[in-house]
Amino acid sequence: MTNTDGVSTVDATAWSIMALSAMRNQPSLASSQSTIQVAIARGADYLRSAELQNQGWGLMAGTDWRVVSTALAIRALIASGASTTDSSVESGAQSLIGRVDPNSGGWCDSRGNLSIAGTATAILALSDVQVGGSAFNLPIKRAQKWLISIQGADSWGPSSQFVAQEEVDFLDASGLKGRIHYLYSRRPQALVGLSTFTIGPETCDGIDLLVASPHEPRQWSGSEQNSWTSWLVFDGWFALDQIAKHLPNDWSEIWWTPSRVVISKSSERRPITLLRRYWPHLIVLFIAAATVWGIHEGGLVTNGIFQIVMFILSTTVLSVFANAISALILNWRRKK
């Protein structure tokens, strides 16, 4: 497959293989099973032929190694039916490990810039290779810690300093130089990278911003992209689909408290849901009320208005304290 003028590319072929592999067992495509299988096999053959001698893949045969192309090729080969111990899959995974940025734990794009999209795609590929195992847990978790560390106040949004685009040079069928311009969606890509093991507080924050502005492409993508594209829609859908794998079928919303992520189910009764969501706030209010009651019983304050003021002040102070404790717990969890 190609998204250039007459030259097959690893990325387009890999995505086509994954799409066909996901759809080949659909009843409506039963009459096309053999055709689909042949297309998948031919695509896998191309990926093997385009593999670089020093392991991994570039955008196309003979081009420089590239993290997104390598990760997509690994995932496509596994989707086509290759074993996780397949020589091309294993060598591709090792090439990813060998090119981790030593300072951050993430991956760089073809221009040498730390890349959210490249890191997220590499995490998915390594997760596919180690299904049921833990061989790559360490690099995966280190990469996820980097994604969390760069989240920012707007959760990988437009204010992020990390580039959301990549320019890749190639030679077309006639030997002329060409260039493909990739525009990535920062926020959905980061959420995909964080959703391999479980859902954390950072994922909850990102989801809130992703779904809060479904009609604004700039907010949906977390980049400077101001118009809708098929890739932008796919990135957002794919992020939500990956996250949904960790949720029960009847989930209604998710949020995080100081110590854990809570998944609310549609089948739960409302009082139970509220209790699970707001128990830290209830504790703060109870402590504040007990404090005011103690002051009153001790005879330190007898004026009713002043008691109310004391209640408000103590609640505020305890809320700030609870937030500080929450931040400490979150930092501790991230280090783990």
Side-chain angles (χ1 to χ4, degrees):
M1 292 295 294
T2 179
N3 53 357
T4 64
D5 186 13
V7 181
S8 297
T9 65
V10 169
D11 294 31
T13 302
W15 278 119
S16 299
I17 290 173
M18 286 189 280
L20 290 172
S21 298
M23 297 294 292
R24 59 183 160 187
N25 293 323
Q26 293 293 321
S28 59
L29 297 175
S31 60
S32 303
Q33 285 292 315
S34 59
T35 303
I36 292 174
Q37 195 55 47
V38 169
I40 292 173
R42 290 186 63 190
D45 288 341
Y46 165 76
L47 291 181
R48 294 184 188 280
S49 69
E51 186 177 2
L52 302 175
Q53 290 185 351
N54 60 342
Q55 300 180 334
W57 285 264
L59 178 64
M60 55 189 68
T63 58
D64 292 336
W65 187 92
R66 180 169 172 261
V67 60
V68 172
S69 299
T70 298
L72 289 176
I74 292 171
R75 297 188 64 217
L77 286 175
I78 293 174
S80 72
S83 166
T84 55
T85 58
D86 177 271
S87 59
S88 294
V89 171
E90 285 192 329
S91 64
Q94 290 303 321
S95 76
L96 286 175
I97 297 300
R99 288 172 171 80
V100 174
D101 178 67
N103 298 316
S104 66
W107 278 266
C108 296
D109 63 17
S110 57
R111 301 286 178 173
N113 301 307
L114 277 168
S115 169
I116 293 175
T119 298
T121 311
I123 288 173
L124 283 183
L126 293 178
S127 299
D128 285 352
V129 175
Q130 71 159 19
V131 171
S134 58
F136 299 117
N137 272 1
L138 186 60
I140 289 174
K141 289 184 177 180
R142 187 165 179 241
Q144 289 176 329
K145 285 184 178 180
W146 175 70
L147 289 175
I148 291 172
S149 72
I150 64 167
Q151 181 173 9
D154 59 353
S155 293
W156 312 283
S159 67
S160 174
Q161 63 176 321
F162 294 91
V163 296
Q165 53 189 336
E166 179 186 14
E167 294 180 340
V168 184
D169 296 325
F170 68 96
L171 295 177
D172 64 18
S174 59
L176 298 176
K177 288 185 177 180
R179 176 174 292 177
I180 297 180
H181 181 81
Y182 289 97
L183 185 60
Y184 300 114
S185 308
R186 273 192 290 252
R187 183 173 294 138
Q189 292 282 355
L191 290 172
V192 165
L194 292 176
S195 63
T196 54
F197 294 125
T198 186
I199 295 175
E202 299 80 15
T203 308
C204 293
D205 291 341
I207 294 172
D208 284 343
L209 288 172
L210 186 68
V211 301
S213 305
H215 306 298
E216 299 179 22
R218 192 166 183 265
Q219 286 298 323
W220 182 267
S221 68
S223 70
E224 296 76 16
Q225 189 169 349
N226 293 311
S227 59
W228 289 105
T229 65
S230 58
W231 273 114
L232 175 53
V233 174
F234 173 78
D235 283 348
W237 168 84
F238 186 57
L240 294 174
D241 180 66
Q242 290 295 112
I243 293 165
K245 293 177 181 179
H246 301 286
L247 302 174
N249 292 330
D250 64 339
W251 73 279
S252 60
E253 59 179 339
I254 60 175
W255 65 87
W256 59 274
T257 69
S259 62
R260 61 176 178 166
V261 171
V262 178
I263 301 172
S264 172
K265 299 181 181 180
S266 301
S267 57
E268 286 181 337
R269 287 188 290 180
R270 187 65 176 170
I272 297 176
T273 301
L274 292 175
L275 181 62
R276 295 175 69 214
R277 180 166 191 169
Y278 294 110
W279 66 266
H281 305 78
L282 295 175
I283 291 176
V284 168
L285 289 175
F286 174 78
I287 295 174
T291 301
V292 174
W293 179 82
I295 292 174
H296 173 74
E297 289 297 307
L300 298 176
V301 177
T302 57
N303 185 283
I305 295 178
F306 193 67
Q307 287 181 16
I308 295 174
V309 173
M310 284 293 296
F311 177 76
I312 294 174
L313 288 175
S314 59
T315 302
T316 303
V317 171
L318 288 170
S319 296
V320 172
F321 179 72
N323 286 332
I325 295 297
S326 172
L328 290 174
I329 293 174
L330 286 177
N331 288 331
W332 172 71
R333 290 182 63 193
R334 288 168 180 169
K335 289 178 181 178
K336 289 185 64 178

